């Protein structure tokens, strides 16, 4: 994709990773609904299995439709290589997999998607991995949490749900100092609002389920590798820098350089964990990505208007949108995501838990769903749903207190959204 990088974002989101189908001339990326690919001869098959030639073997590993999406997101993020996965959560495991081993830990921000906190604090223990959660505004605490067994630092660009923006440059400086890879979940910012690699990230993960697809039709994920991390320098990443027994002793970093992570993720990660994206899902996400910049502009414009309206409403206690001058993270917008602070934020209703529940039930246009990044506006009461399994302290740290409602602002007419919020607030606080 280096070739395509002479183009601007609006061009890449339509053209990167795709050209007319060589077999038929089909202009749109076809859905290659096939499990396997015929080898030209036995010699060709052997070369593919040896990674001496890049090609298609079996769709658990690679598929042309899925590869087109991987290459497109890679180009939009300014990466060296990318892989698509079955979900955003799968992408997180796939990002950690080559780096971690039993006894290793990831140091993660306290401000994360609720499901990620559960995945990191509970489920990864089954692999012998663990996570330490730290306030990423406290750089000393971050450094203090890093130990000899730490293999990665993990955060989100714009953290869901509290409207928090991570100072990626500051975190990357710490990662750089201690020689560890920084993994950034860029789901809620999208590559249109922020390119974490430009701020020093090693790996970028996405839930393609959200803005990349943009209409709530797909579950998918992507991992993009910057290709710049030196996996051999510290001796901490033997699966990448030493002969890997799971792939007949191949030393991925020595053999593949900046593409080591990507090839490892395909040849071992997707092969053995099987968290593969299906070609039809990839096709839908490719359609979504074509209009990403246009949608994000409207998402941001609507979010700004709605957030400002809510902030001025006497029934509202506070609004946590980083695009509002009242936000403590307002000054990070210019540095991290100058095109806007996204379209996801929370606000507190006077009246607490009860009022929030009434408010959510009183909305007409906003759908009450456990999703975000849809063309249509969505609402959720995090404390009773997505962040329900967290304790009160974790809820507070994540910005999901009981009196707070999360909005994912869609691309409808902002006047209609405001009118709907107005009538539901009236019901909630009557
Ligand atoms: C939704 C989401 C995830 C998980 O993605 P899935 O596709 O639902 O598995 C991870 N991180 C963030 C920020 C998300 O919004």
């Amino acid at each position: 994709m280096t070739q395509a990088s002479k183009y601007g974002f609006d061009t890449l989101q339509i053209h990167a990773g795709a050209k007319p189908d060589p077999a038929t001339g089909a202009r749109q990326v076809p859905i290659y609904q096939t499990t396997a690919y015929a080898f030209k001869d036995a010699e060709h098959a052997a070369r593919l299995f040896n990674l001496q030639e890049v090609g298609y073997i079996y769709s658990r590993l690679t598929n042309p439709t899925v590869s087109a999406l991987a290459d497109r997101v890679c180009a939009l993020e300014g990466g060296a290589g990318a892989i698509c996965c079955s979900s955003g959560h799968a992408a997180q495991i796939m990002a950690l997999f080559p780096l971690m081993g039993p006894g290793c830990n990831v140091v993660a921000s306290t401000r994360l998607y609720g499901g990620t906190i559960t995945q990191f604090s509970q489920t990864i223990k089954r692999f012998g991995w663990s996570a330490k959660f730290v306030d990423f505004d406290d750089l000393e605490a971050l450094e203090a949490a890093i130990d000899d067994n730490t293999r990665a630092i993990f955060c989100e660009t714009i953290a869901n749900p509290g409207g928090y923006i991570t100072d990626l440059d500051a975190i990357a400086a710490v990662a750089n100092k201690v020689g560890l890879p920084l993994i950034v979940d860029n789901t809620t910012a999208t590559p249109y609002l922020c390119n974490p690699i430009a701020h020093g990230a090693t790996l970028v993960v996405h839930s393609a389920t959200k803005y990349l697809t943009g209409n709530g039709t797909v579950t998918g994920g992507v991992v993009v590798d910057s290709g710049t991390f030196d996996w051999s320098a510290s001796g901490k990443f033997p699966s990448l820098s030493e002969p890997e027994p799971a792939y007949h002793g191949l030393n991925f970093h020595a053999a593949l350089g900046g593409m080591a992570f990507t090839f490892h993720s395909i040849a071992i990660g997707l092969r053995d964990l099987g968290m593969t994206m299906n070609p039809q899902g990839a096709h839908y996400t490719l359609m979504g990505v074509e209009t990403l910049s246009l949608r994000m502009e409207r998402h941001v414009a609507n979010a700004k208007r709605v957030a400002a309206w809510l902030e001025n409403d006497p029934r509202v206690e506070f609004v946590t949108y980083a695009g509002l001058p009242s936000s403590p993270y307002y000054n990070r917008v210019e540095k991290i995501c100058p095109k806007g602070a996204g379209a996801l934020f929370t606000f507190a209703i006077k009246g607490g838990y009860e009022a929030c529940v009434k408010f959510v039930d009183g909305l007409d246009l906003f759908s009450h769903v456990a999703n975000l990044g849809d063309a249509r506006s969505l609402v959720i009461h995090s404390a009773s749903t997505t962040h329900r399994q967290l304790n009160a302290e974790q809820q507070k740290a994540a910005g999901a207190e009981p009196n707070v409602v999360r909005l994912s602002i869609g691309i409808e007419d902002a006047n209609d959204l405001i009118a709907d919020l107005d009538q539901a607030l009236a019901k909630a606080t009557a």
Side-chain angles (χ1 to χ4, degrees), residues 1-9 11-12 15-18 71 75-76:
M1 262 307 98
T2 38
Q3 199 190 348
S5 59
K6 67 178 186 225
Y7 295 120
F9 192 98
T11 305
L12 290 174
H15 291 281
D71 289 348
L76 295 177

Side-chain angles (χ1 to χ4, degrees), residues 87-89 92 113 116 156 160 185 187 207 209-210 219-220 372:
S87 71
H89 269 2
Q92 292 166 194
Y113 178 72
T116 305
E156 295 177 4
N160 163 15
D185 181 338
T187 300
S207 168
T209 313
K210 314 294 169 52
T219 304
L372 59 95

Side-chain angles (χ1 to χ4, degrees), residues 48-376:
L48 292 179
F49 276 89
N50 268 339
L51 300 183
Q52 289 165 312
E53 186 178 327
V54 178
Y56 297 102
I57 297 174
Y58 188 70
S59 284
R60 175 158 27 79
L61 309 173
T62 49
N63 168 283
T65 315
V66 178
S67 298
L69 175 62
D71 289 348
R72 188 164 301 173
V73 177
C74 184
L76 295 177
E77 286 289 10
I83 49 150
C84 294
C85 311
S86 49
S87 71
H89 269 2
Q92 292 166 194
I93 296 296
M94 288 291 293
L96 291 172
F97 178 68
L99 321 184
M100 304 280 276
C104 294
N105 68 71
V106 51
V107 173
S109 170
T110 46
R111 298 178 185 89
L112 295 177
Y113 178 72
T116 305
I117 295 179
T118 310
Q119 186 188 56
F120 281 10
S121 61
Q122 303 301 330
T123 302
I124 64 171
K125 285 189 205 159
R126 307 286 189 95
F127 309 144
W129 308 349
S130 61
K132 300 187 199 181
F133 295 96
V134 184
D135 177 352
F136 271 34
D137 279 343
D138 186 344
L139 298 178
E140 278 173 30
L142 168 59
E143 258 196 85
I146 295 165
D147 63 33
D148 286 347
N149 293 321
T150 303
R151 293 295 178 270
I153 297 171
F154 188 100
C155 63
E156 295 177 4
T157 309
I158 303 177
N160 163 15
Y164 167 86
I165 297 184
T166 306
D167 186 348
L168 295 179
D169 303 271
I171 305 301
V174 173
N176 212 21
K177 184 174 157 196
V178 298
L180 289 173
L182 170 62
I183 306 174
V184 177
D185 181 338
N186 200 32
T187 300
T188 56
T190 82
Y192 180 66
L193 298 180
C194 179
N195 284 141
I197 290 172
H199 295 273
T202 307
L203 302 173
V204 177
V205 295
H206 277 286
S207 168
T209 313
K210 314 294 169 52
Y211 294 103
L212 291 182
T213 306
N215 46 32
T217 50
V218 165
T219 304
V222 187
V223 186
V224 181
D225 177 26
S226 61
T228 55
F229 192 81
D230 183 351
W231 302 110
S232 303
S234 66
K236 287 181 176 171
F237 305 99
S239 191
L240 289 160
S241 67
E242 288 171 25
E244 170 52 79
Y247 210 86
H248 49 71
L250 183 70
N251 179 325
F252 279 84
H253 195 212
L256 296 150
M259 291 300 282
F261 177 92
T262 303
F263 276 89
H264 187 287
S265 295
I266 295 167
I268 301 179
L270 290 176
R271 186 196 65 183
D272 295 349
L273 301 179
M275 299 173 174
T276 307
M277 182 182 277
N278 68 79
Q280 189 157 6
H283 179 79
Y284 289 142
T285 304
L286 279 164
M287 298 305 98
V289 170
E290 289 191 350
T291 57
L292 181 63
S293 65
L294 305 175
R295 287 185 288 110
M296 290 315 292
E297 274 168 18
R298 175 66 71 85
H299 278 297
V300 167
N302 279 359
K304 274 188 179 161
R305 271 202 58 200
V306 171
W309 180 83
L310 282 169
E311 191 173 46
N312 284 322
D313 192 287
R315 296 163 294 189
V316 172
E317 219 163 297
F318 62 81
V319 182
T320 65
Y321 185 51
L324 291 172
S326 59
S327 165
Y329 305 107
Y330 183 68
N331 59 358
R332 289 187 185 166
V333 176
E334 195 54 42
K335 185 174 163 194
I336 305 295
C337 44
K339 293 200 209 89
L344 189 68
F345 59 87
T346 54
F347 73 101
I349 303 176
K350 289 179 186 162
Y353 191 101
E354 286 307 312
C356 287
V357 170
K358 276 193 210 153
F359 169 78
V360 166
D361 285 341
L363 286 161
D364 290 326
L365 262 183
F366 282 76
S367 308
H368 185 199
V369 300
N371 192 19
L372 59 95
D374 195 312
R376 64 216 87 230

